[in-house]
Amino acid sequence: MTNLLPEMAEIWQKTLNWQPNTQQQLQFQQLYELILEGNSQFNLTRITEAEEFWEKHLWDSLRGIAPQMQFIDSLAAGASVIDIGTGAGFPGIPIAIASANSQITLLDSTRKKVTFIEKILTTLGLSNGKTLVGRVEEIGQQRQHRQNYDVATIRAVGPASVCAEYALPLLKVGGLAVIYRGNWTQEETTALHNAVDQLGGVIAVIEQFTTPLSDSIRHCLYLRKVAATPANFPRAVGVPTQKPL
Ligand code: SAM
């Protein structure tokens, strides 16, 4: 097994002004090994080569929240984060590793993935992570989850307006949705404004950045919730994707 993590310390520092401590490095390494092991059974990710895993899964997950870390840190200890459509645990598990004071809920509709994530949480000793199985359209209408989170992250789950409809109902007023994207255009921003307006949000920032190893262009969209989301959102299961706002 390639242990790539120590040599990445400088890049973490230079790009995110952050470095994993010894325990966090070990947890990243364990995460990598568990995902490779689980992959043969569950087909979790096609990203298995060590450097690509580091960049696309570890670095990318934390780059999304790094500019907002101050926001997360400024919340009372126990800031609550929900990772919607977490799959094999991204970006949620790297965030749980990096931000021990936050409580991370890892949500996915596929039970076998969630069962696998439970194994990861136990093996890595991540007591600040917990799992939730279900469709986000239903979870977003449940009293114990609606308007309950400070931060919602969502990567590779659908078009941005669909992600906004999934994420904003779950946030407290003042909370932040972080939507991870590859490419992004001005036309998409215009369309997203329309969706976000209906959901009680505003587009706070759209950031473009370059990944440190492969120089790929990525974007993160930060949506701030400024008012309660109307009760009819999220719409019924499947409707957000069939009829995006
Ligand atoms: N976020 C991970 C990542 O970036 O590697 C996984 C992305 S994977 C392409 C999309 C995941 O979203 C799948 O695991 C799928 O089960 C989950 N998903 C899709 N629609 C969902 C919904 N409506 N509610 C909950 N989970 C959903």
Side-chain angles (χ1 to χ4, degrees):
M1 175 77 50
T2 321
N3 185 342
L4 56 90
L5 299 165
E7 70 209 52
M8 295 301 175
E10 216 176 290
I11 310 182
W12 281 122
Q13 189 61 47
K14 213 164 79 185
T15 54
L16 304 189
N17 195 23
W18 175 84
Q19 265 192 45
N21 60 30
T22 311
Q23 189 196 350
Q24 289 164 329
Q25 280 196 30
L26 177 67
Q27 288 170 319
F28 284 154
Q29 182 70 28
Q30 286 177 311
L31 174 61
Y32 179 44
E33 290 172 17
L34 283 170
I35 297 253
L36 289 186
E37 196 185 298
N39 229 10
S40 50
Q41 238 179 314
F42 301 119
N43 198 17
L44 298 163
T45 177
R46 52 180 180 76
I47 297 168
T48 53
E49 190 269 319
E51 287 200 352
E52 201 185 1
F53 182 88
W54 181 87
E55 181 178 65
K56 299 221 167 86
H57 280 333
L58 302 183
W59 186 88
D60 189 64
S61 292
L62 294 187
R63 174 61 181 77
I65 60 143
Q68 306 299 332
M69 218 41 213
Q70 227 180 334
F71 169 76
I72 296 174
D73 286 345
S74 72
L75 300 165
S80 53
V81 180
I82 184 162
D83 186 29
I84 300 165
T86 192
F90 300 102
I93 289 180
I95 293 173
I97 292 172
S99 174
N101 289 331
S102 304
Q103 301 299 317
I104 321 286
T105 299
L106 301 144
L107 163 66
D108 205 279
S109 53
T110 311
R111 181 166 292 278
K112 67 168 191 171
K113 290 187 184 171
V114 170
T115 303
F116 181 72
I117 287 178
E118 276 160 8
K119 182 179 166 194
I120 294 178
L121 293 176
T122 309
T123 311
L124 273 57
L126 288 170
S127 55
N128 62 333
K130 63 177 179 203
T131 58
L132 187 59
V133 188
R135 291 287 304 228
V136 65
E137 299 94 317
E138 289 172 342
I139 303 283
Q141 290 293 357
Q142 291 169 6
R143 186 197 285 255
Q144 70 270 38
H145 295 292
R146 190 177 178 87
Q147 209 156 300
N148 189 46
Y149 296 91
D150 299 304
V151 177
T153 54
I154 183 160
R155 187 179 87 160
V157 177
S161 64
V162 173
C163 292
E165 183 169 351
Y166 288 165
L168 284 162
L170 290 164
L171 292 174
K172 298 173 188 167
V173 173
L176 195 72
V178 184
I179 304 179
Y180 292 65
R181 304 288 305 180
N183 291 324
W184 187 252
T185 61
Q186 183 54 45
E187 294 75 61
E188 288 176 287
T189 303
T190 310
L192 183 62
H193 268 299
N194 174 43
V196 167
D197 275 354
Q198 296 179 61
L199 296 161
V202 292
I203 302 177
V205 189
I206 296 181
E207 274 199 326
Q208 179 179 316
F209 54 90
T210 308
T211 61
L213 302 183
S214 62
D215 279 339
S216 318
I217 301 283
R218 307 267 308 146
H219 292 80
C220 265
L221 322 175
Y222 299 96
L223 314 180
R224 176 82 59 190
K225 180 153 167 177
V226 292
T229 302
N232 53 316
F233 298 117
R235 290 167 291 165
V237 168
V239 178
T241 48
Q242 284 150 21
K243 295 183 186 163
L245 291 174

